[in-house]
Amino acid sequence: MTSPFSIIPLLWRSTRPSHTFNLPAVAIPFWIRKGYDGMTFFGHIITHTREEADTFNQHWDSMKNHEMIHLYQARSTHDSWLCFYGRYFLFWLKAKRYRRHLKNAGYLLNPFEMEAYAHMDELNYLKPGEKAVGWKRYATMTLEERLKAYKTEVLKR
């Protein structure tokens, strides 16, 4: 069993998003909720098992693309993981109150997640040297507009 404290070296060794070109996956099951395949955390993808981590490391599929979109989003938030997670948390808090309309609304109506889910199947969505800024369009929407966009744009994939 991996220690909950094994996440500390990931924080210590993290580099700026612009200096990260691939997110290596590591298995730290304590830090990821059931029902989620991976989670971007300071330049790494956290998974439940070593086998899942190996799959992320060896294959660039839609889930790897989803997590890589978060890397490109972090580049667009002042090239800072702290700014990215600060905004992510604020968007999550704001959308969480909409949970009566959508289970996991804090997560699913988060502009960062909406962009990542909408484009995760487009393996050529990310261009080297660019930033993922599609989340900004979702951020300017009201929660009602985001819910409608989630149903029409995100769920269509």
Side-chain angles (χ1 to χ4, degrees):
M1 178 76 182
T2 307
S3 163
F5 299 107
S6 57
I7 202 140
I8 294 171
L10 299 182
L11 289 168
W12 190 259
R13 288 182 282 161
S14 69
T15 60
R16 296 181 71 81
S18 63
H19 296 142
T20 306
F21 301 101
N22 190 13
L23 298 176
V26 294
I28 308 177
F30 180 83
W31 288 100
I32 186 167
R33 292 177 57 189
K34 291 184 179 178
Y36 295 94
D37 293 327
M39 177 179 84
T40 302
F41 188 77
F42 286 90
H44 293 81
I45 300 172
I46 298 174
T47 64
H48 294 283
T49 65
R50 183 74 233 155
E51 292 77 25
E52 289 175 339
D54 290 342
T55 299
F56 270 105
N57 289 329
Q58 295 168 4
H59 304 288
W60 192 298
D61 61 0
S62 59
M63 285 308 302
K64 172 83 172 201
N65 201 48
H66 175 100
E67 300 304 332
M68 289 297 293
I69 289 171
H70 290 316
L71 167 65
Y72 281 62
Q73 290 168 337
R75 291 176 182 174
S76 72
T77 55
H78 303 292
D79 196 27
S80 166
W81 288 112
L82 291 177
C83 288
F84 172 73
Y85 290 118
R87 281 188 174 192
Y88 190 102
F89 181 70
L90 291 175
F91 287 135
W92 179 82
L93 272 181
K94 184 177 179 182
K96 187 171 171 39
R97 65 185 171 93
Y98 229 64
R99 66 183 175 269
R100 70 182 177 279
H101 299 286
L102 179 67
K103 185 181 178 185
N104 292 329
Y107 174 75
L108 295 172
L109 296 182
N110 188 313
F112 293 120
E113 294 299 339
M114 291 183 74
E115 178 187 18
Y117 275 111
H119 299 288
M120 67 189 277
D121 294 326
E122 299 172 34
L123 299 183
N124 60 352
Y125 179 67
L126 301 171
K127 306 285 189 254
E130 289 187 9
K131 300 172 183 177
V133 294
W135 64 270
K136 292 180 180 182
R137 181 175 68 89
Y138 295 111
T140 61
M141 296 178 176
T142 66
L143 286 173
E144 292 82 15
E145 292 170 331
R146 278 193 227 164
L147 181 61
K148 185 177 178 181
Y150 172 77
K151 290 178 179 177
T152 59
E153 297 174 23
V154 177
L155 288 180
K156 73 171 170 77
R157 60 164 201 90

